[in-house]
Amino acid sequence: DAKTTQPNSMESNEEEPVHLPCNHSTISGTDYIHWYRQLPSQGPEYVIHGLTSNVNNRMASLAIAEDRKSSTLILHRATLRDAAVYYCIPAYSGAGSYQLTFGKGTKLSVIP
Amino acid sequence: EPEVTQTPSHQVTQMGQEVILRCVPISNHLYFYWYRQILGQKVEFLVSFYNNEISEKSEIFDDQFSVERPDGSNFTLKIRSTKLEDSAMYFCASSQRWAGHGYTFGSGTRLTVV
């Protein structure tokens, strides 16, 4: 499994952009990069995923480095509801392995 | 937006008893999963299920655990003889495919073994 490195915690002011980094230098060429978040006392929630190109959806943007060894999750305007633990997870795209391996993630605090 | 539904939200059981945790995955999803999270620890993979059989399981998923899709909508996790260390949040998830699609998780069942 590809190893990931994320900051233990980050803080952001409400309504400001947040850039959450992730290093995944051992990622293989066929691994997708998934991001999930977990709000307090809730299950993980899918945020976004990508393979090589940058991706946007209604929740966030994902910027993937050209060498794919790192990625950044971008929340364009942080709200109090975005306070959560954010997980960056390489997901193998080949047959036979379907699990997501969660690390400790980055705990994001949003300051009003 | 489609949801993964888990019942019950909280279950208390005595050590040694059998428990069944229930999940209704999203209807057009093909892959089903169980994860658990012991309080204060990481989310851990237990098992994946596709085409009516287990695709992959972790070391945690020993002979005390079993999964079943008894009909076209439910997906269950059974723990035959619960131990104190089985106390955790159990999350069900489903996906259309792996890797190239997002996984949708339920809100979990808190299992307390006393």
Side-chain angles (χ1 to χ4, degrees):
Chain A
D1 288 349
K3 182 174 165 50
T4 60
T5 304
Q6 297 181 256
N8 289 332
S9 63
M10 291 183 65
E11 270 189 358
S12 173
N13 293 318
E14 196 178 8
E15 298 190 6
E16 289 190 356
V18 184
H19 290 233
L20 296 161
C22 179
N23 285 320
H24 33 75
S25 58
T26 60
I27 196 169
S28 81
T30 54
D31 287 352
Y32 282 83
I33 299 155
H34 283 232
W35 283 81
Y36 290 79
R37 69 181 185 182
Q38 189 174 23
L39 278 64
S41 301
Q42 294 191 28
E45 177 186 22
Y46 167 76
V47 178
I48 200 165
H49 76 283
L51 186 60
T52 54
S53 305
N54 294 345
V55 185
N56 300 299
N57 67 18
R58 64 176 176 81
M59 290 181 70
S61 295
L62 176 61
I64 302 171
E66 199 169 326
D67 63 6
R68 294 195 359 109
K69 294 184 187 302
S70 65
S71 62
T72 302
L73 180 71
I74 303 163
L75 306 179
H76 296 287
R77 286 182 72 220
T79 69
L80 296 178
R81 196 195 171 274
D82 292 323
V85 179
Y86 286 79
Y87 302 98
C88 158
I89 305 174
Y92 176 61
S93 65
S97 179
Y98 311 104
Q99 62 177 284
L100 296 175
T101 302
F102 286 78
K104 293 183 180 177
T106 297
K107 184 174 182 178
L108 176 67
S109 301
V110 180
I111 303 165
Chain B
E1 195 161 324
E3 289 184 345
V4 171
T5 305
Q6 290 187 245
T7 54
S9 56
H10 190 189
Q11 179 149 3
V12 181
T13 189
Q14 292 211 322
M15 193 168 53
Q17 294 297 304
E18 175 183 286
V19 295
I20 297 176
L21 309 183
R22 302 180 192 279
C23 170
V24 179
I26 293 173
S27 59
N28 65 344
H29 283 185
L30 303 176
Y31 296 83
F32 314 110
Y33 316 86
W34 284 100
Y35 287 77
R36 80 171 187 191
Q37 186 173 33
I38 295 170
L39 186 63
Q41 297 189 23
K42 297 179 192 178
V43 177
E44 299 174 291
F45 170 77
L46 293 179
V47 65
S48 60
F49 192 86
Y50 169 69
N51 202 24
N52 284 321
E53 61 182 25
I54 290 174
S55 309
E56 190 177 23
K57 59 183 181 179
S58 71
E59 289 180 355
I60 302 168
F61 194 88
D62 61 20
D63 292 344
Q64 293 298 313
F65 291 87
S66 62
V67 290
E68 195 177 33
R69 189 153 161 82
D71 53 42
S73 59
N74 291 285
F75 181 49
T76 61
L77 174 70
K78 183 193 292 186
I79 308 175
R80 287 193 185 81
S81 177
T82 50
K83 308 184 190 75
L84 294 176
E85 53 265 36
D86 294 327
S87 296
M89 283 290 290
Y90 287 80
F91 297 110
C92 174
S94 68
S95 66
Q96 286 184 321
R97 289 192 63 189
W98 68 97
H101 291 260
Y103 293 46
T104 304
F105 285 79
S107 54
T109 293
R110 178 172 298 284
L111 178 65
T112 303
V113 182
V114 297

